[in-house]
Amino acid sequence: MGELTLEERGNLIVRACLEQTSTSPYQVFRDVARQDFVRMHGPEHHVLDGAALLTAYRNAGGSVDLPAALAELMSRGLQMPGAMCGRWGVCGAVASVGAALSILEQTGPLTSDDSWGSHMGYTSRALGELSRIGGPRCCKRDAYVSLLAAVDYVRDRFGVSLQKDDIVCGFYPQNAQCLGEKCPFFPVPAAGSAAR
């Protein structure tokens, strides 16, 4: 596929999410991330990660106008610059999922109910998990951490049960900066097989 603009990538992500039926945000993410319009690393993850959560939420019976929610998430995700993790100290994957949560509860900067603080609690937990793993950045690993934390959050906050997977990364061969065995999602060699 030729070089696409970020907006074109976002539109393709939204269209692909609308076709997904899984209640696992990881499976939605993985299936869309395998498409040739999603790079290994890039700000398109600021759309994809939250979109995967919104899609799985709707598929699990959550009440959301998915096309409208995805359009709003894309608008917000496209405003987030690339390399936020290293330059701003906050991961775009976590911010994308946080944006999805704010869309679900229609939370804004002046919201006075508990959703404002609750979403901050989610993002702080997810960022804490990422900080324990360390860098350099990996947009796939950061998505996995963000989505796993969101599955528990959505169950506790909304009573919607999303599928929670044991994630084993299949993208690591494309990541020149992969942490390898230091990453919790790196494939562990089977007993008796040669080490990688």
Side-chain angles (χ1 to χ4, degrees), residues 10-196:
N11 281 316
L12 290 167
I13 288 166
V14 166
R15 273 189 255 154
C17 284
L18 288 168
E19 296 173 2
Q20 297 292 312
T21 59
S22 178
T23 62
S24 161
Y26 162 67
Q27 288 180 17
V28 173
F29 171 85
R30 182 199 61 209
D31 291 349
V32 177
R34 286 180 174 164
Q35 303 300 315
D36 59 357
F37 50 82
V38 178
R39 296 170 288 192
M40 179 64 206
H41 308 293
E44 61 262 42
H45 288 83
H46 303 167
V47 176
L48 173 56
D49 302 358
L53 178 68
L54 290 171
T55 302
Y57 178 84
R58 188 277 317 262
N59 293 343
S63 177
V64 64
D65 177 347
L66 188 60
L70 291 174
E72 177 61 23
L73 182 73
M74 187 174 106
S75 173
R76 295 181 190 192
L78 292 176
Q79 293 177 51
M80 299 180 206
M84 286 175 57
C85 55
R87 294 184 177 150
W88 289 22
V90 63
C91 174
V94 175
S96 177
V97 174
L101 296 174
S102 74
I103 290 166
L104 287 176
E105 294 198 83
Q106 299 177 355
T107 306
L110 301 178
T111 298
S112 60
D113 66 23
D114 73 333
S115 65
W116 190 94
S118 182
H119 301 156
M120 294 289 183
Y122 158 77
T123 57
S124 67
R125 284 189 299 279
L127 288 170
E129 287 298 312
L130 288 177
S131 73
R132 283 185 276 287
I133 297 169
R137 62 84 169 100
C138 173
C139 289
K140 303 306 191 262
R141 175 196 67 220
D142 298 352
Y144 304 155
V145 168
S146 300
L147 293 172
L148 284 173
V151 168
D152 295 333
Y153 180 90
V154 165
R155 180 196 62 233
D156 296 343
R157 180 83 178 167
F158 304 113
V160 175
S161 294
L162 303 178
Q163 182 178 323
K164 190 169 190 176
D165 301 281
D166 292 325
I167 298 173
V168 177
C169 185
F171 293 98
Y172 70 92
Q174 291 87 45
N175 184 1
Q177 295 84 38
C178 179
L179 295 175
E181 293 178 2
K182 294 179 184 176
C183 176
F185 308 107
F186 191 76
V188 176
S193 67
R196 295 180 197 209

